[in-house]
């Protein structure tokens, strides 16, 4: 593929054209205007249409009149109440997530225990056919309930939800993923799917469930009215919600694996795109609360009993009595495990991705019934495989050491040595021991120490092959599905297989097969999810064996390296790509260096005058799907008399139209406008989390109201970000990814330098010394500042530029805190006008680069 063609594809994919409403017309318009004939099939158009469904979140503080008036009216008690509410919500997130995870585990253990008891009781009596019928019926009913609940109650609960939560934390507004119905379907569906015996786990959905709990608590509960409760109104911002969702994701991992530190690291390594120290403290506090809650509930169960909930339940794999040392030669099989994990993990992702595309094209189009039918077929196949394979393989003799209960007693519902159609009372089926246990108990059995030759080579080979195949076809059906536990189980099986060969080759050394099962689990996690630090800590917290830390680290690094080397992306990034989510990866395409901001931006931008007619605002919102609009202030004749006041968001315009409070009969700026703006709060302009918000169809106006005017100045964000038109797109990408931006205005090349800001100009002591008496001339309404030549101090360093030198592309913003940039910068360059009225910005707006493709988000 030529560089020119790929470059055209990138530019084409990031254009914003006025009045073009879908990918089909966009493609036609681009080809007609550009003369290109780049091939684009139906698959390309479908992906582009999907990307139009998503908007971006706004993480910036809008320094407009509404925001500043709200901050000015806040008291010290308001600040204390704000902090108290944030930490209080973190406490509630931890407690509720711990209770929810415990309830799901107890339900799965009891339902699975009953199913296994009924099946094995009939099997021991010789009723093989009836035993299979009972096993098949219970599993099918459970899976049907899980899928039906997901399809009809909470469609967004399908899958693990990690990809969706990760996309939300990347700045994408995901519709429906944080509804209460989604949470209910997630938890109840996980019980049915896991207890139904599908080759999936419940730990992945716990991440989504924890994030959903956090999202609902942060907005004061399910907000059917669309209005923020008074006590939660301060948290009705995308910035605070994102923090709470990250905290909830960490709590979900901590609840699923009893790994508080692993939960914090998972949120840091895998979920969040922007991390801060304050967020780490809240995550750490919340996961500690989860750990205490789960431990207290488990003690209650151990004292009073929770049905058949006993040795199973919440995952904890104690292998501290296993191998506590290793030889140098063991690094070879450890490296081999890493390579196997990287290859199997990448193969899993690639095959499952193709299956996901097939499901989207063939199953999803047919509706909920087709999804249910597919899940039932997978359930039938899983039941048949897990029941018939142990029948094919013969039983083996129980081990001889004293104190081992073999075969497992019939009244027990977890543990090793399951008797399955064995002729001798002193025999057990090692394959049935893996299939007729919950996945948590099966992993515990594989991790078990000092159990040499408990599993035969043939049984482990068959189990790995069968479970790997079942996991591929199951992951992605329309019910809550997790990948953590299937990855650990599959990796532990082939890891124990490698351990058997190593133990046979070095029979005179203390080689424990359970140690290699742990390393195999780490290798598959590293190969499929490409997580290293969080996976390492979670596994060590699960197994309580720090002696294996170097080996776990090594196998994770090798598996991730091999997986990355195959060219297959991590599983969650592949899922986001298949869903058409406009996810911004940590680094952009290298071809972005060959594209300028002007080539990429949407031109011409759709703009508003400061005082705009109501009818035109409504017409623009109806005619285009843009979500950000520059506001222009015309102070003179022609282009030189124009200045950019700021950016105003679509939802803000819809809120103003809906409330009608800012309508005025005069087409001029009045003092009443700022007073009306002060009557709003920031929460008034925020919609409920993952909800659709207002639309132009919700606006009902009569002819008189359509003829009135709106002053948009007090509501526009005057601290907007701009880049020069010749800046490389790679730097623009870095700005979006680093600063969590939603829009950037593209302006012509600057002709003057107002001044230079260096690091020392931003130090607290410098700011205090310069602005202790004067807070600066920052104006939230976008009005032009007076000339600063007489008021700005001249600092020591000056700048010079040769006549022919080109100005470097720079990022500029029109305001900084309470002071303007012009007031804070160093002198030495020609001073023109600072703030929103300087000459560099006042000329025109070349275009707007949005957070996602094709549209201003």
């Amino acid at each position: 593929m030529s560089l020119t063609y790929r470059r055209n594809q990138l530019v084409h994919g990031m254009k914003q054209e006025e009045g073009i409403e879908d990918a089909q017309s966009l493609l036609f318009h681009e080809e007609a205007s550009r003369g290109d004939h780049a091939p684009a099939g139906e698959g390309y158009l479908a992906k582009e249409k999907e990307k139009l469904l998503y908007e971006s979140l706004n993480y910036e503080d809008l320094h407009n009149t509404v925001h500043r008036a709200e901050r000015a009216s806040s008291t010290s008690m308001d600040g204390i109440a704000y902090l108290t509410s944030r930490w209080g919500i973190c406490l509630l997130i931890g407690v509720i997530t711990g209770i929810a995870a415990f309830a799901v585990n107890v339900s799965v253990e009891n339902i699975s225990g009953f199913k296994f008891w009924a099946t094995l009781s009939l099997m021991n009596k010789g009723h093989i056919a009836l035993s299979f019928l009972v096993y098949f019926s219970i599993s099918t009913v459970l899976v049907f309930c899980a899928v039906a609940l997901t399809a009809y109650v909470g469609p967004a609960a399908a899958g693990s939800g990690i990809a969706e939560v990760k996309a939300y934390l990347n700045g994408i507004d995901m519709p429906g993923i944080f509804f209460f119905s989604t949470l209910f379907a997630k938890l109840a569906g996980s019980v049915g799917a896991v207890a139904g015996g599908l080759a999936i786990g419940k730990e992945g959905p716990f991440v989504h469930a924890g994030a959903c709990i956090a999202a609902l608590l942060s907005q004061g509960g399910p907000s059917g009215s669309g209005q923020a409760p008074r006590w939660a109104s301060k948290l009705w911002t995308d910035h605070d919600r994102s923090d709470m969702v990250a905290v909830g994701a960490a709590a979900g991992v901590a609840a699923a694996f009893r790994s508080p530190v692993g939960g914090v690291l998972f949120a840091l390594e895998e979920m969040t795109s922007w991390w801060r120290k304050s967020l780490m403290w809240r995550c750490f506090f919340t996961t500690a609360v989860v750990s205490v809650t789960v431990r207290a509930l488990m003690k209650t169960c151990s004292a009073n009993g929770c049905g058949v909930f006993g040795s199973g339940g919440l995952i904890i794999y104690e292998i501290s009595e296993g191998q506590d040392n290793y030889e140098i030669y063991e690094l070879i099989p450890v490296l081999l495990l890493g390579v196997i994990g990287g290859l199997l993990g990448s193969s899993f992702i690639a095959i499952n991705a193709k299956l996901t595309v097939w499901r989207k094209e063939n199953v999803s189009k047919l509706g909920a019934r087709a999804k249910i039918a597919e899940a039932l077929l997978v359930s039938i196949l899983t039941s048949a495989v897990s029941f018939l394979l142990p029948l094919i393989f013969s039983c083996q003799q129980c081990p001889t050491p004293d104190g081992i209960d073999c075969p497992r007693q019939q009244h027990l519902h977890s543990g090793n040595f399951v008797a399955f159609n064995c002729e001798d009372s002193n025999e057990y089926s090692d394959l049935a021991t893996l299939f007729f246990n919950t996945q948590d108990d099966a992993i515990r059995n594989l991790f078990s120490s000092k159990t040499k030759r408990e599993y035969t080579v043939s049984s482990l080979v068959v189990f790995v092959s069968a479970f790997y195949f079942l996991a591929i076809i199951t992951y992605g059906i329309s019910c809550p599905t997790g990948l953590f536990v299937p990855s650990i189980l599959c990796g532990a099986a082939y890891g124990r297989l490698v351990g058997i060969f190593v133990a046979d080759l070095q029979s005179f050394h203390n080689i424990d097969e359970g140690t290699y099962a742990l390393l195999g689990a780490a290798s598959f996690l590293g190969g499929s999810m490409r997580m290293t630090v969080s996976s390492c800590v979670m596994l060590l917290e699960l197994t309580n064996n720090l002696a294996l830390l170097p080996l776990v680290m090594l196998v994770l690094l090798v598996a991730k390296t091999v997986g990355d080397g195959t060219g297959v992306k991590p599983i969650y990034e592949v899922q986001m790509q298949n869903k058409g989510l406009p996810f911004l990866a940590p680094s952009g395409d290298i071809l972005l260096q060959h594209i300028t901001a002007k080539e990429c931006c949407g031109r011409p931008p759709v703009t508003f005058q400061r005082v705009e007619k109501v009818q035109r605002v409504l017409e623009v919102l109806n005619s285009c799907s843009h979500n950000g609009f520059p506001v222009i202030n015309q102070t003179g004749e022609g282009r030189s008399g124009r200045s950019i006041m700021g950016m105003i968001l679509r939802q803000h315009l819809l809120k103003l139209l809906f409330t009608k409070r800012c309508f005025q009969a005069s087409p001029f700026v009045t003092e009443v406008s700022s007073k009306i703006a002060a009557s709003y709060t920031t929460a008034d302009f925020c919609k409920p989390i993952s909800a659709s918000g207002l639309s132009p169809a919700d606006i009902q106006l009569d002819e008189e109201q359509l003829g009135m005017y709106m002053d948009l100045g007090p509501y526009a964000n005057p601290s907007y970000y701009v880049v020069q038109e010749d800046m490389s797109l790679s730097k623009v990408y870095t700005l979006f990814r680093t600063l969590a931006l939603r829009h950037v205005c593209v302006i012509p090349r600057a002709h003057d330098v107002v001044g230079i800001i260096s690091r020392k100009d931003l130090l607290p002591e410098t700011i205090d010394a310069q602005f202790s008496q004067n807070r600066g001339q920052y104006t939230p309404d976008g009005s032009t500042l007076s000339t600063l030549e007489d008021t700005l101090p001249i600092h020591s360093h000056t700048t010079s530029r040769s006549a022919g030198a080109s100005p470097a592309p720079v990022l500029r913003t029109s305001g900084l805190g309470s002071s303007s940039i012009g007031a804070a910068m160093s002198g030495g360059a020609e001073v023109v006008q600072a703030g929103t009225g300087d000459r560099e910005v006042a000329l025109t707006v070349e275009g707007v680069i949005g957070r996602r493709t094709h549209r201003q988000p």
Side-chain angles (χ1 to χ4, degrees):
M1 183 180 294
S2 67
L3 176 65
T4 304
Y5 173 64
R6 286 200 62 197
R7 180 177 178 278
N8 287 340
Q9 276 193 321
L10 285 171
V11 176
H12 169 78
M14 303 186 73
K15 285 285 186 179
Q16 170 218 25
E17 295 292 339
E18 182 178 0
I20 302 173
E21 294 304 320
D22 54 49
Q24 184 77 38
S25 57
L26 177 66
L27 178 66
F28 176 79
H29 181 92
E30 284 288 310
E31 291 180 347
S33 61
R34 214 175 45 193
D36 292 345
H37 297 284
E42 294 181 359
Y44 172 81
L45 294 178
K47 288 184 179 181
E48 299 310 310
K49 289 179 180 178
E50 283 181 352
K51 293 178 182 179
L52 301 180
L53 299 176
Y54 303 103
E55 296 183 10
S56 297
L57 300 173
N58 189 67
Y59 290 150
E60 289 185 76
D61 285 333
L62 306 181
H63 293 173
N64 53 20
T65 301
V66 177
H67 171 80
R68 290 167 65 87
E70 188 176 27
R71 293 290 297 270
S73 62
S74 299
T75 63
S76 57
M77 291 304 298
D78 292 330
I80 295 174
Y82 172 70
L83 292 176
T84 303
S85 63
R86 296 186 75 174
W87 286 100
I89 288 175
C90 289
L91 176 65
L92 289 176
I93 292 171
V95 173
I96 296 175
T97 303
I99 293 174
F102 182 79
V104 170
N105 277 282
V106 169
S107 301
V108 169
E109 286 291 314
N110 280 278
I111 296 173
S112 299
F114 172 78
K115 182 179 71 172
F116 294 144
W117 169 81
T119 303
L120 295 177
S121 297
L122 292 172
M123 174 64 70
N124 292 332
K125 294 178 182 179
H127 304 302
I128 298 179
L130 184 59
S131 175
F132 174 72
L133 181 62
V134 170
Y135 179 74
F136 160 78
S137 301
I138 296 176
S139 299
T140 304
V141 170
L142 289 172
V143 172
F144 172 80
C145 293
V147 179
L149 193 64
T150 304
Y152 292 108
V153 177
S160 69
I162 294 179
E164 288 78 3
V165 176
K166 184 175 181 177
Y168 180 87
L169 294 176
N170 188 256
I172 305 170
D173 189 5
M174 300 295 300
I177 65 171
F178 297 131
F179 289 166
F180 181 78
S181 58
T182 302
L183 174 62
F184 176 75
K186 200 75 177 184
L187 296 175
S190 297
V191 173
V194 176
L198 295 179
I200 51 152
K202 57 186 179 297
E203 285 68 26
F206 277 162
V207 177
H208 186 188
C212 194
I213 291 170
L216 292 173
L217 289 175
S218 66
Q219 70 171 7
S223 183
S225 64
Q227 297 295 326
R230 184 177 179 83
W231 66 271
S233 60
K234 297 294 184 182
L235 298 176
W236 270 53
T237 64
D238 290 338
H239 183 273
D240 285 319
R241 287 171 173 174
S242 177
D243 284 355
M244 292 296 108
V245 169
V247 168
V253 174
F257 293 100
R258 292 182 61 188
S259 174
V261 179
V264 176
L265 293 176
F266 176 80
L268 168 62
E269 181 180 10
E270 182 64 21
M271 301 303 292
T272 59
S273 297
W274 303 282
W275 188 261
R276 300 174 309 283
K277 185 179 293 186
S278 59
L279 179 58
M280 181 185 69
W281 280 110
R282 285 193 291 274
C283 288
F284 189 76
F285 169 75
T286 307
T287 54
V289 173
V290 171
S291 182
V292 172
T293 303
V294 170
R295 182 175 293 274
L297 292 172
M298 290 190 70
K299 283 188 176 181
T300 301
C301 251
S302 61
N304 303 321
C306 296
V308 298
F309 181 78
S311 59
L314 291 166
I315 304 175
I316 186 69
Y317 310 124
E318 180 72 47
I319 61 171
S320 57
E321 296 180 357
Q323 182 176 346
D324 57 358
N325 201 355
Y326 52 90
E327 304 293 338
I328 296 298
Y329 67 84
E330 289 187 76
L331 294 179
I332 297 176
V334 169
L335 293 174
L336 176 62
L337 279 176
V339 173
I340 294 174
L343 294 177
L344 287 180
S346 297
S347 301
F348 181 95
I349 297 170
I351 300 172
N352 184 261
K354 293 184 180 296
L355 187 59
T356 300
V357 174
W358 179 86
R359 282 192 175 109
K360 181 188 293 187
E361 295 175 351
N362 298 277
V363 178
S364 300
K365 293 180 179 179
L366 301 179
R369 294 184 178 180
K371 296 178 181 178
I372 294 175
E374 182 205 16
L376 292 180
L377 288 175
V378 172
S379 176
I380 294 171
L381 179 61
T382 303
S383 298
V385 169
S386 59
F387 190 93
L388 296 179
L389 284 180
L391 286 178
I392 298 175
F393 284 78
S394 59
C395 298
Q396 58 180 344
Q397 290 292 323
C398 289
T400 54
D402 297 332
I404 295 180
D405 192 9
C406 179
R408 190 178 74 188
Q409 298 181 18
Q410 295 186 19
H411 69 277
L412 297 178
H413 306 280
S414 63
N416 297 8
F417 311 117
V418 174
F420 191 83
N421 195 34
C422 298
E423 297 179 357
D424 193 344
S425 60
N426 194 36
E427 292 181 338
Y428 74 99
S429 171
D430 55 345
L431 198 54
T433 301
L434 296 175
F435 278 118
F436 281 82
N437 267 311
T438 61
Q439 293 180 19
D440 298 344
D441 288 326
I443 295 172
R444 186 179 293 104
N445 295 340
L446 290 170
F447 281 2
S448 59
S449 305
K450 300 179 180 180
T451 53
K452 189 174 182 180
R453 287 295 186 179
E454 181 177 327
Y455 300 95
T456 62
V457 172
S458 58
S459 295
L460 288 174
V461 170
V462 170
F463 179 78
V464 169
S465 303
F467 195 82
Y468 185 79
F469 167 74
L470 292 175
I472 287 177
I473 66 172
T474 306
Y475 191 70
I477 64 174
S478 185
C479 70
T481 56
L483 187 58
F484 275 104
V485 168
S487 298
I488 294 175
L489 181 54
C490 191
Y494 69 70
R496 194 172 182 102
L497 186 62
V498 173
I500 291 176
F501 292 123
V502 176
D504 288 345
L505 291 174
Q506 302 291 333
S507 57
F508 52 88
H509 285 91
N510 181 26
I511 304 298
D512 198 300
E513 298 170 8
T515 299
Y516 283 85
L518 170 64
L519 298 177
S523 71
F524 201 93
L525 283 176
S528 59
M529 299 184 182
R530 313 289 167 79
M531 297 185 303
T532 53
V533 179
S534 56
S535 295
C536 181
V537 172
M538 281 191 288
L539 288 173
L540 292 177
E541 284 184 300
L542 287 174
T543 57
N544 193 25
N545 193 334
L546 287 176
L548 300 177
L549 175 61
L551 294 182
V552 174
M553 294 173 64
L554 178 61
V555 76
L556 280 168
L557 288 172
V558 173
K560 183 184 186 306
T561 302
V562 172
D564 291 338
T566 61
V568 179
K569 295 181 179 180
I571 181 67
Y572 300 124
E573 291 189 20
V574 171
Q575 287 183 337
M576 287 187 286
Q577 183 177 347
N578 288 336
K579 294 176 183 291
L581 303 179
F583 178 80
L584 290 184
S587 58
D589 196 302
I590 192 173
L591 293 180
L592 297 180
Q593 299 177 8
H594 303 280
I595 305 172
T596 64
K598 184 175 182 179
E599 293 176 287
C600 163
C601 67
R603 291 178 289 147
V606 180
T607 63
F608 290 116
Q609 296 295 320
R610 168 165 184 169
V611 180
E612 193 66 76
K613 199 170 185 178
V614 173
Q615 183 175 2
R616 182 178 183 271
V617 174
L618 188 58
E619 288 175 351
V620 170
L621 295 179
N622 274 307
S623 62
C624 74
S625 59
H626 301 174
N627 284 280
F629 304 90
V631 178
I632 306 298
N633 191 21
Q634 192 75 37
T635 57
E637 296 294 333
R639 292 163 60 93
S640 60
R642 301 176 64 192
S643 63
I644 311 171
M645 293 191 59
M647 293 282 293
I648 190 167
L649 299 178
R650 182 185 189 88
Q651 279 297 319
H652 293 194
L653 290 171
L654 289 170
K655 186 67 177 182
L656 296 175
L657 291 173
F658 184 78
T659 57
K660 310 171 187 176
R661 203 183 303 170
C662 66
F663 290 2
Q664 61 184 42
S666 171
F668 303 103
V669 177
T670 63
E671 296 181 357
V672 181
S673 300
S674 296
K675 296 180 180 179
I676 295 176
S679 67
Y680 287 97
T681 64
T682 303
D684 291 335
F685 295 98
C686 291
K687 61 184 180 63
I689 191 167
S690 72
S692 58
L694 292 172
S695 68
D698 300 321
I699 309 301
Q700 303 295 328
L701 301 174
D702 55 31
E703 291 296 328
E704 181 181 357
Q705 292 169 333
L706 289 173
M708 300 182 75
Y709 295 87
M710 301 167 58
D711 184 1
L712 305 180
Y715 310 98
N717 177 23
S719 294
Y720 54 93
Y721 290 92
V722 298
V723 296
Q724 293 188 144
E725 60 184 348
D726 54 354
M727 175 181 276
S728 70
L729 198 56
S730 62
K731 285 194 173 183
V732 178
Y733 187 98
T734 302
L735 295 174
F736 267 84
R737 191 60 171 77
T738 305
L739 301 178
L741 301 183
R742 186 174 183 180
H743 301 100
V744 163
C745 288
V746 181
I747 62 171
R749 296 184 65 180
H751 302 292
D752 297 293
V753 179
V754 178
I756 295 177
I757 294 179
S758 64
R759 179 186 295 267
K760 70 179 184 63
D761 295 317
L762 302 177
L763 295 177
E765 53 269 25
T766 304
I767 298 296
D768 291 340
Q770 185 172 347
F771 300 102
S772 58
Q773 302 299 326
N774 177 20
R775 295 194 64 189
Q777 302 187 47
Y778 180 88
T779 54
D781 60 352
S783 60
T784 303
L785 297 181
S786 60
T787 303
L788 302 177
E789 290 178 337
D790 300 329
T791 61
L792 289 182
I794 303 299
H795 296 283
S796 58
H797 68 273
T798 60
T799 59
S800 61
R801 187 181 68 216
S802 61
S806 299
V810 294
L811 170 71
R812 300 185 60 255
T813 179
S814 58
L816 176 68
S818 299
S819 304
S820 68
I821 280 186
M825 66 191 174
S826 301
E830 178 188 357
V831 178
V832 286
Q833 288 182 329
T836 55
D838 64 61
R839 277 209 310 265
E840 298 171 33
V841 180
L843 298 179
T844 184
V845 182
E846 290 292 333
V848 176
I849 296 179
R851 162 66 168 70
R852 59 177 179 163
T853 59
H854 296 316
R855 295 287 188 269
Q856 301 176 40

